[in-house]
Amino acid sequence: MLDILRRLVQAVTEAENLDDALNIIVTRIKATMQTGVCSIYLLDDKTGCWLLMATDGLNPSSVRIASLCKNEGLVGSVGTRGKLLNLEDAPKHPAFRFLEETGEEIFQSFLGVPVVHQRETLGIIVVQQTTRRRFSGDEEALLVTVAAQLSALIAHAKISGRLYLQTDTGENPKDIRFKGAAGISGITVGTAVVRKPPAYLKHVKDGKTDNPDHDIGEFQAALAEVKVELERIGESLSGHLQHEETVLFDTYLRMLEDHTLGGEVCQRIRSGENAPTALKHVVLDLVTRFEAMQDPYLKERGTDLKDLGRRILSKLLRYGDELLKYPDDAILVAEDVTPVMLGEMDAGSLLGIVSVKGSANSHVAILARSLGIPAVMGAVDLPLADISGVKMIVDGWRGEVVIEPSEMILKEYQYAVRDAENLASELLRISDGPATTSDGYRIHLLLNSGPFGELLERQRSWIDGVGLYRTEFAFLSRSRFPTEDEQEIEYREELATYSPMPVVMRTLDIGGDKGLPYFSIDEENPFLGWRGIRVTLDHPEIFLTQTRAMLKASVGLNNLRVLLPMISTLEELRASKLLVDRVVHELLSEGFVIKPPQVGVMIEVPSAVYMADELALEADFFSVGSNDLTQYILAIDRTNARVSDMFDSFHPAVLRALRQVCDSGRARDIPVALCGEMAGDPMASALLIGLGFDELSMSAASLAQVKRTLGEFSLPECRELATKAIQSTSGHEVIQVMADAMMIRGLSLLVPPGLRE
Ligand code: PEP
Ligand code: MG
């Protein structure tokens, strides 16, 4: 059975469109089960009826014609009850309804099973036979297994194949929606420009050279051409970008110059491979290594590399440069939109971006944000082949693309655009100075600083420092561990940028979804494995080097605070503090003028919540990582799309943990911050202050909205809301309480992208 299934799934995956996929299913099942008929009915979203979509055994001309209402017939009965039906004598069943056009009158026995995807019944697979018999347990099991295996494929094919290509009147259907991740906020309407990669590395057939010097020359010439091209694109974009973001193009250029890429290719050419073959192997090998990592940032490096490789290949193969002509209202759409593709477009006519792959963390997203262009990332079901030149709405707030929008939907979106514009202009009017509640209670807003300094000058007066500097970036952007000196330079830049404000630097937090290409951690359950402080305590040399670099970087600035990730026991805190003390003594004896830094604990594991009283006695401050704390309290893998709609930081179980941490911190008089995504969600702002947080640390993009929101609530109101929320029984209830409180105050419920999906 496994073999049958494997082959069936393979064939369906390779099918060109929905009809082909369904036909393969019915033909194979009929043959395997040796029945008279196998048919598939799918729910027609427009009519709410079960429409016959494919059959082997019934009258083929009834396909897409024969249909049954939601509760009608045996099919309707399977569909509404969501349970299989196995009948020896189907016509005798009270629900039986004869479909004349199908010619099914000769069939007696009936076995129907629902095809369910994400709790929704998409359709029904039916087998029928002329003889009167009950289908065996094995046959039931086979059909149920097939239905379960195929449901996701059918769901995908149904969307991407645009199930109902023609309406009854022969028009194209309107308002077809595709979900993605909210990339860059904003909404726009434009014409899809679908871009293909310049050349495919995978299509290169392996070949040899008998003149390696010639091939090396060709490769180097191609490399140089791409370099010139990238420099030109970087320059053309630089007028639209802040200085820091042009770093992306420098990164590309550095990748080209990096001896690992060029050196390895030349080495392979010298050993006999021709240039395209050598390039293919080196690039694809590197890409595979990057893509195998779960860390979204590193995955993006894989995408960058692939794009670079394709560009060099297209030069090697002497592909002519495509003459690019775009409409004035272009929406750039591609399997994997790259920064270079962006750079090739005229920034004036580029209205939106849609990428089938990628996430809100990708380089393209960072660039799009600086250009102020709405983007939807990870729109996995988008049928790229069909949508060139099509009108589309890009909704970067909700992470949605609407193809061929109707007048009605366009109007609706225009209202949303107006709301978003109102919000944006309100946010522009926010005054200078620190955040307070409406009754003047001072709140510390802190910055989660990233590798691309995104803080605008006017935002500086709103913050009291950096609440989270993720040092992983210094490690992720290299092909080996950074040296103490290299780290010191990066940390010093960060500390100096925000001096005299304090900067919280987190020690290396790898493991879980963050891997290093040169230090692989392969585990069955990485989130419950070797992560954060567990890794660096097992490798004190990494920890010692890093803290030495941090402390040396703080000489003369003295604004460093050290934060320990993933602490789950008191012993880990003690062991880490001993190492920090050791570094302090070492550096003092080496003559460095340093002060012992404050050492804080990230509270992101349930055991740390329950041990918060004890931890608070020995830590200088707490910072709650709500991303991980939510994941561990609710047992929802934060990277698993299948359960992502259950990831809910507003869940009362999470809020009760937060309250406990605040109470423990307060009792021992240490500051308690929150630095996960929740801190930047305006819907959570008043709630978090009410729970007792002193500091909220968020990305620059969230500061304005959080500051504005807090200014509308008094401290007693915040506390009252927190009490109400804690007593709620679900995250939904909490959101409702907060949404009501915001609406009464005329606050927008629009949220920064990536939050509260
Ligand atoms: C968190 O877990 O909330 C956090 C801030 O850390 P990271 O997202 O880097 O794991
Ligand atoms: Mg974390």
Side-chain angles (χ1 to χ4, degrees):
M1 179 154 128
L2 271 179
D3 196 40
I4 294 168
L5 268 177
R6 220 178 350 249
R7 273 185 281 139
L8 182 53
V9 169
Q10 173 79 17
V12 172
T13 312
E14 285 166 8
E16 295 247 308
N17 53 40
L18 178 71
D19 286 329
D20 284 359
L22 298 180
N23 283 327
I24 291 168
I25 299 172
V26 292
T27 318
R28 299 262 181 117
I29 293 180
K30 181 180 164 227
T32 306
M33 292 180 69
Q34 297 177 349
T35 56
V37 176
C38 179
S39 316
I40 293 184
Y41 297 79
L42 291 185
L43 188 65
D44 181 340
D45 302 323
K46 219 155 27 80
T47 61
C49 294
W50 304 107
L51 183 64
L52 179 66
M53 290 295 293
T55 183
D56 186 352
L58 297 182
N59 182 358
S61 62
S62 61
V63 165
R64 288 194 187 242
I65 290 173
S67 84
L68 287 152
C69 290
K70 196 111 192 218
N71 301 315
E72 207 182 4
L74 299 176
V75 165
S77 167
V78 175
T80 44
R81 291 185 326 152
K83 263 172 66 181
L84 75 75
L85 198 58
N86 184 353
L87 299 172
E88 189 177 343
D89 193 354
K92 284 242 175 73
H93 192 279
F96 181 79
R97 155 99 163 67
F98 172 53
L99 280 177
E100 201 179 330
E101 61 271 37
T102 64
E104 66 175 339
E105 61 273 23
I106 52 170
F107 298 104
Q108 298 292 324
S109 45
F110 172 102
L111 172 62
V113 303
V115 180
V116 183
H117 180 64
Q118 292 177 343
R119 302 184 193 183
E120 230 179 278
T121 304
L122 302 176
I124 294 116
I125 305 185
V126 176
V127 288
Q128 291 170 281
Q129 206 142 24
T130 45
T131 47
R132 195 175 294 174
R133 74 174 183 98
R134 209 180 143 73
F135 288 93
S136 71
D138 279 351
E139 286 169 317
E140 278 187 6
L142 175 72
L143 210 56
V144 168
T145 314
V146 167
Q149 278 276 329
L150 296 175
S151 63
L153 294 175
I154 291 179
H156 179 81
K158 189 177 162 186
I159 313 172
S160 58
R162 298 162 81 184
L163 178 53
Y164 304 109
L165 283 174
Q166 300 271 296
T167 59
D168 303 340
T169 54
E171 295 163 14
N172 281 335
K174 300 261 182 220
D175 303 333
I176 310 160
R177 289 166 194 266
F178 296 92
K179 281 301 288 174
I184 313 307
S185 46
I187 294 169
T188 189
V189 185
T191 307
V193 173
V194 180
R195 289 277 283 128
K196 293 203 191 85
Y200 289 94
L201 289 158
K202 280 198 177 133
H203 293 181
V204 172
K205 287 219 171 71
D206 284 354
K208 300 257 165 233
T209 177
D210 15 294
N211 188 349
D213 286 342
H214 170 263
D215 275 56
I216 287 176
E218 293 266 291
F219 168 66
Q220 275 162 350
L223 212 62
E225 270 183 71
V226 173
K227 203 173 151 208
V228 170
E229 208 174 88
L230 285 181
E231 274 164 354
R232 184 176 45 75
I233 291 169
E235 264 164 38
S236 79
L237 265 183
S238 64
H240 301 277
L241 297 177
Q242 291 178 23
H243 171 70
E244 290 86 339
E245 277 101 23
T246 53
V247 167
L248 281 180
F249 284 88
D250 294 342
T251 309
Y252 270 116
L253 291 172
R254 237 187 303 131
M255 278 180 166
L256 275 183
E257 278 155 1
D258 189 343
H259 60 272
T260 44
L261 178 70
E264 272 183 52
V265 175
C266 292
Q267 209 176 337
R268 290 186 82 115
I269 296 175
R270 270 190 210 100
S271 69
E273 285 177 0
N274 66 19
T277 308
L279 178 73
K280 172 183 84 170
H281 287 300
V282 171
V283 175
L284 289 184
D285 186 41
L286 270 172
V287 169
T288 316
R289 276 170 21 212
F290 275 104
E291 285 184 345
M293 296 170 202
Q294 289 190 358
D295 176 79
Y297 181 81
L298 279 180
K299 266 194 205 304
E300 295 306 330
R301 304 297 302 235
T303 308
D304 292 349
L305 264 169
K306 200 188 293 171
D307 187 53
L308 263 184
R310 284 168 169 172
R311 271 166 207 281
I312 303 169
L313 180 66
S314 81
K315 302 289 174 209
L316 267 179
L317 301 177
R318 303 256 166 266
Y319 284 177
D321 288 335
E322 237 179 286
L323 204 58
L324 304 171
K325 244 184 145 247
Y326 300 117
D328 295 342
D329 60 346
I331 308 280
L332 173 61
V333 186
E335 177 76 22
D336 216 341
V337 177
T338 62
V340 180
M341 281 182 192
L342 255 188
E344 283 168 345
M345 312 257 323
D346 166 15
S349 62
L350 179 62
L351 298 190
I353 296 165
V354 181
S355 186
V356 171
K357 291 187 180 162
S359 68
N361 305 317
S362 63
H363 284 160
V364 168
I366 293 165
L367 273 179
R369 208 168 288 137
S370 333
L371 292 165
I373 295 172
V376 172
M377 313 296 293
V380 287
D381 289 319
L382 203 68
L384 281 183
D386 298 342
I387 56 167
S388 200
V390 156
K391 269 260 165 304
M392 56 162 56
I393 294 174
V394 178
D395 180 349
W397 286 107
R398 273 182 287 203
E400 195 170 69
V401 177
V402 186
I403 286 180
E404 287 164 353
S406 60
E407 280 305 312
M408 206 175 74
I409 292 289
L410 274 175
K411 263 221 176 79
E412 230 177 72
Y413 270 90
Q414 271 145 13
Y415 287 130
V417 170
R418 204 195 50 199
D419 285 353
E421 281 168 359
N422 287 345
L423 174 63
S425 64
E426 259 175 41
L427 296 183
L428 273 179
R429 289 198 298 271
I430 289 183
S431 56
D432 288 350
T436 58
T437 55
S438 62
D439 52 344
Y441 179 73
R442 175 85 157 73
I443 290 151
H444 294 249
L445 297 190
L446 302 171
L447 180 70
N448 285 0
S449 65
F452 308 100
E454 290 164 341
L455 193 72
L456 304 175
E457 201 41 51
R458 78 186 196 98
Q459 296 174 321
R460 235 183 124 94
S461 72
W462 303 345
I463 62 166
D464 291 284
V466 171
L468 179 64
Y469 173 76
R470 293 175 160 104
T471 57
E472 292 83 79
F473 290 114
F475 290 74
L476 293 170
S477 56
R478 291 189 160 78
S479 51
R480 51 162 175 76
F481 278 107
T483 63
E484 186 177 311
D485 288 349
E486 285 169 340
Q487 290 187 56
E488 185 187 329
I489 293 170
E490 287 197 25
Y491 301 158
R492 174 119 193 136
E493 195 180 328
E494 176 75 11
L495 292 171
T497 303
Y498 297 97
S499 167
M501 295 188 283
V503 173
V504 174
M505 291 200 163
R506 181 170 72 181
T507 61
L508 184 62
D509 183 21
I510 50 167
D513 63 338
K514 284 176 262 181
L516 297 177
Y518 47 89
F519 187 75
S520 77
I521 302 175
D522 194 10
E523 293 177 315
E524 290 262 316
N525 284 309
F527 279 112
L528 300 182
W530 208 39
R531 266 201 81 178
I533 202 72
R534 301 173 187 177
V535 177
T536 50
L537 283 179
D538 283 353
H539 278 279
E541 77 285 8
I542 300 177
F543 190 92
L544 289 167
T545 308
Q546 182 170 43
T547 39
R548 269 182 71 88
M550 285 179 181
L551 275 156
K552 279 163 69 183
S554 74
V555 171
L557 297 170
N558 293 324
N559 58 343
L560 167 71
R561 292 182 187 172
V562 176
L563 180 62
L564 308 168
M566 272 294 284
I567 292 281
S568 53
T569 68
L570 199 56
E571 288 75 16
E572 286 168 342
L573 170 60
R574 289 181 180 155
S576 310
K577 282 182 66 174
L578 277 180
L579 291 177
V580 174
D581 285 347
R582 192 172 130 188
V583 168
V584 169
H585 285 116
E586 257 173 39
L587 289 175
L588 285 173
S589 67
E590 288 170 32
F592 288 95
V593 187
I594 49 149
K595 276 207 206 139
Q598 291 194 357
V599 178
V601 165
M602 278 202 88
I603 306 284
E604 45 187 353
V605 176
S607 64
V609 174
Y610 292 113
M611 295 299 287
D613 280 342
E614 288 77 6
L615 289 167
L617 279 175
E618 299 183 33
D620 296 314
F621 63 96
F622 279 163
S623 187
V624 174
S626 55
N627 310 337
D628 276 315
L629 189 60
T630 305
Q631 137 163 291
Y632 292 123
I633 287 194
L634 300 181
I636 304 288
D637 179 343
R638 63 192 261 193
T639 61
N640 184 342
R642 207 172 280 172
V643 287
S644 62
D645 57 345
M646 292 171 72
F647 188 93
D648 183 6
S649 298
F650 288 81
H651 194 290
V654 178
L655 302 184
R656 290 171 202 182
L658 296 182
R659 159 70 47 92
Q660 192 165 328
V661 176
C662 289
D663 290 349
S664 301
R666 216 157 263 264
R668 305 289 170 206
D669 212 18
I670 61 167
V672 184
L674 188 134
C675 66
E677 293 305 298
M678 192 182 191
D681 186 342
M683 185 90 87
S685 307
L687 176 56
L688 293 172
I689 298 308
L691 286 171
F693 283 96
D694 309 295
E695 303 175 347
L696 301 179
S697 190
M698 65 204 74
S699 59
S702 297
L703 286 167
Q705 223 178 334
V706 169
K707 183 170 189 270
R708 160 153 166 63
T709 306
L710 285 171
E712 297 294 325
F713 289 88
S714 70
L715 186 59
E717 283 168 345
C718 292
R719 290 189 174 144
E720 202 181 307
L721 282 168
T723 310
K724 232 183 186 171
I726 288 265
Q727 288 163 354
S728 301
T729 52
S730 72
H732 273 297
E733 224 178 292
V734 177
I735 298 253
Q736 197 54 57
V737 168
M738 293 313 297
D740 288 348
M742 297 207 30
M743 279 187 321
I744 292 170
R745 290 164 176 81
L747 291 165
S748 168
L749 296 183
L750 289 174
V751 292
L755 290 171
R756 217 175 50 244
E757 278 281 287

